[in-house]
């Protein structure tokens, strides 16, 4: 039934993936110094690891051939080795991915949930003091750099008050498995930073689509039928006003990943963001390349899922 | 070229309803100038009526003046780590209103000097982003439905979905930490929204009769775009540009906090990074950490307020929102 629509969306996702791969390939080659020289400069890389990297990516071959080799290697999951530690990047990422998924998941989820609820309430009762204060609060949070916000929370709640640990993922070291409560107390401040940092855009978007929907004819009809204000809001306004926020929630995976780099750095949260920060410091380009590839992949998949769900949520979309 | 033409607004319904007749013949240039002046006065009136926007404008004027006067307000010695004379890490006092950093530099002086780079990056990166975005949007909208539009549209969509902040961070790390690269990276990663909005606006302007008239008179594509489409799309571009300044300043802060800013240029983001790395968290040097963040919030908020007001003025559909 919706096969053509789904197929088109998958096609777009593949095209985007190819775009990302190509951009990634050339990005890595416009930097000062060629990849071989860069690899050779890295002292901690053994001769074997160097030779491995060279043959894996055919760095001594002509550029078009290198491009094809790069595509093939990346698509089969070979991301190369870190030029600092010599570790395989896939292994490096596998060890770092779950803390980030946890942090970004909790941060995005809370920001979206609370933001949308506030937006519904504010937009429905436009002009009330709740609406005004939530709108100004959202604008204020939107204008706040999340790294700085994280630092303030860290100084206040971990430093001065000592309520939360000052960073990291867990206090237990070595063999003992980390306790759930322990992780939660470490997660609290960084997740709160992400939530506060991104809640504003959800409030603003949901609020303005509620306002748009409010004057629609079907709302008047619903009221005329004798439904209570709450029923009109729940059954008629929110389902119709939710679509733009839904898109935003999915798109936000992309920019929250960016924000996670700063927040993880501030809180020493051992995820992909902290890995990125270390790679920036060490000029470990293959790792940076892999991080960009991976975060783009996450966004592409999130978008594909959103597009397909959207097609089911709003059948009109197919015609566009 | 500059023929004497009668005021066409007199012939249109709008002018008739005001009962205005052409008093005299105006040259095309005079006519355009008058029309621009009128619309400026009208829009400025609407802008003035918006309280938040006026507060925002006031804040922006204040910081701009500070940034321009910074060479007079702060001597180069005061921010030179080697020449700084104050006591290190001292809390706010009568001599140092906002305290000092680890080198004994006055935080207030750093803040004043930092305004220059932060605003410079914010404005120039925005100009770059808007130049790219407006060009892509105009061309793709003007040739809407053709292959050029498909290619540019795909490119725009791509830049909209990719994690642009991650791209900016990776690009900045690869290109190296100079002021120019920071500006370049922000411009390259933040033009897509402008392009999409300009394209939509161009598509609607393109269908209006005066474009067809210009084409019938033999105007080239270039001249139609620059003389007829651009002036009509410009208000939207301007509102979007103002909003982009906020994104650019926040991006600069993020890059600086990650140590990707120009190490020779003091910006608000860099003051935050230095304060954090100097362990102001463990030592409680709040006076060093808080002011630059407040400055960033003030400017970003001010820019956003002005941008929203402009958006409302130029896009009447939004007017009922607030």
């Amino acid at each position: 039934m919706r096969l053509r629509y789904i197929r088109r969306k998958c096609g777009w996702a593949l095209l985007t993936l190819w775009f990302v791969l190509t951009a990634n390939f050339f990005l890595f080659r416009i930097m000062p110094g060629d990849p071989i020289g860069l690899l050779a400069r890295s002292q901690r890389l053994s001769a074997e690891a160097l030779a491995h990297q060279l043959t894996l990516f055919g760095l001594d071959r002509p550029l078009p051939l290198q491009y094809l080799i790069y595509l093939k290697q990346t698509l089969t999951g070979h991301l190369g080795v870190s030029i600092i530690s010599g570790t395989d990047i896939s292994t490096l990422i596998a060890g770092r991915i779950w803390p980030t998924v946890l942090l970004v998941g909790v941060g995005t989820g809370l920001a979206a949930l609370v933001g949308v609820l506030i937006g519904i309430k504010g937009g429905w009762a436009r002009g009330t003091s709740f609406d005004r204060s939530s709108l100004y609060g959202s604008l204020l949070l939107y204008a706040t750099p999340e790294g700085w916000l994280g630092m303030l929370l860290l100084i206040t709640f971990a430093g001065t008050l000592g309520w939360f640990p000052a960073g990291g993922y867990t206090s237990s070291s070595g063999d003992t498995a980390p306790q759930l409560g322990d992780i939660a107390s470490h997660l609290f401040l960084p997740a709160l930073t992400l939530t506060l940092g991104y809640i504003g855009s959800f409030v603003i978007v949901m609020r303005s689509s509620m306002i748009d929907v409010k004057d629609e004819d079907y709302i008047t009809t619903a009221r005329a039928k004798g439904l209570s204000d709450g029923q009109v809001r729940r059954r008629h306004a929110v389902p119709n006003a939710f679509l733009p926020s839904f898109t935003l929630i999915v798109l936000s995976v992309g920019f929250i990943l960016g924000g996670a780099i700063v927040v993880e750095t501030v809180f020493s949260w051992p995820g992909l963001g902290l890995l990125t920060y270390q790679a920036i410091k060490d000029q470990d380009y293959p790792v940076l390349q892999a991080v960009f590839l991976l975060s783009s992949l996450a966004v592409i998949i999130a978008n594909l899922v959103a597009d397909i769900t959207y097609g089911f949520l709003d059948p009109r979309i197919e015609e566009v | 070229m500059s023929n004497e033409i009668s005021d066409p607004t007199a012939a249109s319904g709008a002018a008739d309803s005001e009962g205005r007749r052409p008093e005299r013949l105006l040259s095309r240039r005079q006519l355009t100038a008058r029309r621009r002046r009128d619309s400026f006065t009208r829009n400025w009136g609407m802008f003035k009526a918006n309280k938040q926007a006026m507060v925002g404008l006031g804040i922006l004027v204040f910081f701009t003046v500070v940034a321009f006067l910074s060479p007079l307000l702060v001597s180069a010695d005061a921010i030179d780590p080697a020449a700084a004379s104050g006591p290190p890490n001292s809390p706010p006092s009568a001599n140092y209103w906002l305290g000092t950093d680890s080198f004994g530099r006055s935080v207030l002086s750093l803040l004043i000097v930092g305004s220059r780079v932060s605003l410079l990056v914010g404005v120039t990166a925005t100009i770059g982003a808007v130049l790219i975005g407006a060009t892509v949007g105009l061309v793709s909208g003007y040739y809407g439905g053709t292959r050029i539009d498909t290619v540019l549209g795909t490119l725009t969509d791509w830049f909209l979905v990719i994690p642009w902040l991650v791209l900016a961070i990776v690009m900045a790390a690869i290109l190296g930490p100079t002021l120019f690269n920071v500006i370049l990276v922000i411009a390259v990663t933040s033009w897509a929204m402008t392009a999409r909005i300009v394209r939509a606006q161009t598509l609607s302007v393109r269908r209006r009769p005066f474009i067809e008239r210009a084409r019938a008179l033999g105007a080239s594509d270039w001249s139609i775009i620059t003389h007829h489409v651009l002036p009509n799309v410009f208000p939207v571009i301007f509102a979007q540009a103002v909003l982009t300044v906020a994104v650019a300043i926040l991006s600069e802060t993020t890059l600086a906090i990650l140590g990707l800013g120009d190490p020779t240029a003091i910006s608000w983001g860099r003051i935050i990074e230095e304060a954090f790395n100097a362990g102001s968290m463990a030592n409680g040097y709040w006076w060093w950490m808080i002011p630059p963040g407040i400055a960033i919030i003030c400017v970003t908020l001010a820019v956003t307020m002005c941008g929203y007001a402009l958006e409302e003025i130029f896009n009447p559909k939004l007017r009922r929102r607030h």
Side-chain angles (χ1 to χ4, degrees):
Chain A
M1 38 162 204
R2 294 202 174 86
L3 261 178
R4 235 189 64 222
Y5 172 75
I6 294 176
R7 211 180 308 145
R8 211 179 61 223
K9 288 298 168 191
C10 289
W12 159 242
L14 284 177
L15 183 72
T16 316
L17 182 65
W18 170 73
F19 246 64
V20 168
L21 284 169
T22 308
N24 221 343
F25 176 81
F26 286 106
L27 207 59
F28 191 52
R29 267 138 191 99
I30 52 158
M31 67 193 183
D34 61 314
I36 302 184
L38 193 86
L39 285 173
R41 269 213 314 276
S42 157
Q43 282 129 14
R44 270 168 279 182
L45 206 58
S46 68
E48 294 145 62
L50 184 63
H52 179 68
Q53 184 92 343
L54 273 177
T55 47
L56 194 63
F57 287 101
L59 293 179
D60 45 357
R61 308 285 190 82
L63 207 62
L65 200 60
Q66 277 188 39
Y67 176 61
L68 293 177
I69 295 174
Y70 168 75
L71 286 185
K72 184 180 157 258
Q73 294 294 359
T74 312
L75 291 175
T76 51
H78 296 100
L79 298 172
V81 297
S82 153
I83 57 171
I84 299 302
S85 61
T87 335
D88 186 60
I89 293 175
S90 312
T91 322
L92 214 57
I93 283 174
R96 296 296 197 102
I97 198 163
W98 295 115
T100 297
V101 170
L102 180 68
L103 176 63
V104 172
V106 171
T108 316
L110 278 178
L113 183 73
V114 181
V116 165
L117 288 179
I118 294 176
I120 290 174
K121 190 156 187 249
W124 195 246
R126 182 161 55 131
T128 56
S129 57
F130 176 84
D131 179 42
R132 297 218 153 270
S133 48
S134 69
L135 184 65
Y136 290 134
S138 304
L139 287 173
L140 186 68
L141 285 173
Y142 169 78
T144 311
E146 62 269 7
W148 179 78
L149 182 67
M151 291 171 187
L152 280 198
L153 292 177
L154 189 66
I155 293 177
T156 318
F157 294 105
T160 314
L161 296 172
W163 292 353
F164 293 97
Y169 179 65
T170 164
S171 307
S172 66
S173 53
D175 306 327
T176 50
Q179 297 295 305
L180 210 61
D182 184 34
I183 295 178
S185 76
H186 282 81
L187 177 68
F188 187 85
L189 288 179
L192 181 68
T193 310
L194 280 186
T195 305
L196 289 178
Y198 293 102
I199 198 170
S201 37
F202 293 105
V203 175
I204 292 167
V205 167
M206 192 65 205
R207 176 182 179 271
S208 72
S209 45
M210 280 303 274
I211 291 172
D212 278 347
V213 163
K214 244 179 100 149
D215 303 329
E216 294 282 350
D217 291 339
Y218 54 79
I219 297 292
T220 318
T221 311
R223 283 195 199 289
K225 275 195 313 196
L227 296 185
S228 74
D229 188 60
Q231 281 173 319
V232 175
R233 186 176 72 178
R234 255 194 330 275
R235 291 200 209 147
H236 296 274
V238 172
N240 281 295
F242 185 64
L243 283 179
S245 298
F246 180 72
T247 313
L248 180 70
I249 292 170
V250 176
L251 276 176
S252 66
V253 171
F255 53 78
I256 292 186
L257 275 170
I261 296 180
V262 192
V263 173
E264 286 187 9
T265 303
V266 169
F267 288 97
S268 322
W269 182 260
L272 291 177
L274 194 60
L275 182 73
T276 311
Y277 180 67
Q278 284 154 354
I280 293 170
K281 288 265 168 263
D282 300 338
Q283 298 194 305
D284 197 344
Y285 296 119
V287 171
L288 287 178
Q289 201 179 14
V291 165
F292 177 55
L293 181 66
L294 205 71
S295 43
S296 306
L297 194 66
V299 173
I300 293 169
I301 293 172
N303 268 288
L304 184 62
V305 172
D307 277 338
I308 293 173
T309 325
Y310 214 121
F312 284 98
L313 290 179
D314 185 356
R316 286 172 301 183
I317 206 82
E318 221 174 331
E319 294 151 22
V320 183
Chain B
M1 272 302 282
S2 168
N3 316 329
E4 293 282 312
I5 48 171
S6 66
D7 185 345
T9 54
S12 79
D16 271 346
S17 64
E18 288 167 28
R20 204 163 61 185
R21 301 269 108 195
E23 306 91 30
R24 58 192 167 88
L25 291 179
L26 292 166
S27 77
R28 200 169 71 176
R29 205 168 292 257
Q30 280 172 317
L31 183 66
T32 316
R34 200 179 81 181
R35 218 166 43 210
R36 296 231 164 107
R37 206 170 48 234
D38 286 351
S39 85
F40 177 81
T41 318
R42 196 172 55 239
N43 291 333
W44 172 238
M46 281 159 79
F47 191 87
K48 262 202 310 209
N50 187 326
K51 236 183 295 164
Q52 291 102 329
M54 286 310 283
V55 173
L57 187 65
I59 295 175
L60 288 184
V61 169
F62 171 75
F63 278 103
T64 312
V65 169
V66 168
F68 272 105
L69 294 184
S70 62
L72 301 175
L73 295 170
V74 179
S75 69
D77 275 356
I79 51 153
D80 180 1
S85 52
N89 299 323
S90 70
S93 61
N95 285 335
Y96 299 96
W97 291 354
L98 291 177
T100 59
D101 72 353
S102 302
F103 297 108
R105 295 179 291 184
S106 151
V107 173
L108 185 62
S109 305
L110 290 175
L111 212 56
I112 292 171
V113 172
S115 69
R116 209 165 33 182
V117 171
S118 286
L119 293 186
L120 179 78
V121 171
V123 171
T124 35
T126 298
I127 292 174
V130 167
L131 278 180
I132 304 173
T135 312
V136 170
L138 276 170
V139 171
S140 127
Y142 185 75
Y143 296 104
T146 65
R147 196 164 296 168
I148 303 178
D149 179 34
T150 313
V151 171
L152 291 179
T154 311
L155 193 71
T156 309
D157 282 349
W158 186 69
F159 270 95
L160 273 176
V161 293
I162 52 152
W164 55 272
L165 193 54
V166 182
L167 179 64
I169 289 167
V170 170
M171 271 181 78
I174 287 175
L175 293 171
T178 66
L179 204 55
F180 177 78
N181 285 344
V182 169
I183 293 168
L184 179 79
V185 160
I186 296 173
V188 165
T189 50
S190 46
W191 58 269
M193 207 34 145
T194 310
R196 175 172 276 191
I197 290 169
V198 169
R199 177 181 177 273
Q201 192 72 12
T202 307
L203 276 176
S204 89
V205 168
R206 194 183 63 151
R207 292 200 197 93
R208 294 193 199 155
F210 63 86
I211 300 289
E212 217 165 298
R213 212 176 301 150
R215 191 170 296 130
L217 288 171
S220 65
D221 285 353
W222 169 252
S223 125
I224 293 177
I225 292 180
T226 53
H227 284 80
H228 301 285
V229 182
L230 185 60
N232 282 287
V233 178
F234 186 76
V236 180
I237 298 179
F238 186 64
Q240 186 56 29
V242 172
L243 290 172
T244 305
V245 174
V247 177
I249 290 179
L250 288 175
S251 306
E252 194 275 336
T253 311
T254 302
L255 292 176
I257 287 178
L258 291 173
L260 289 167
D262 190 329
T264 60
I266 294 172
S267 72
W268 291 331
R270 187 142 161 272
I271 303 174
I272 295 177
E273 188 232 352
E274 283 189 341
F276 188 68
N277 285 340
S280 48
M281 182 217 130
N283 302 316
Y285 304 150
W286 51 268
W287 60 86
W288 186 4
M289 175 77 90
I290 291 177
I294 304 264
I296 292 168
I297 293 177
C298 284
V299 171
T300 318
L301 209 54
V303 163
T304 311
M305 290 297 187
C306 293
Y308 279 177
L310 290 172
E311 231 181 18
E312 263 180 65
I313 292 169
F314 297 139
N315 186 355
K317 262 205 247 156
L318 291 171
R319 251 173 234 168
R320 54 203 174 82
R321 285 228 173 128
H322 292 279

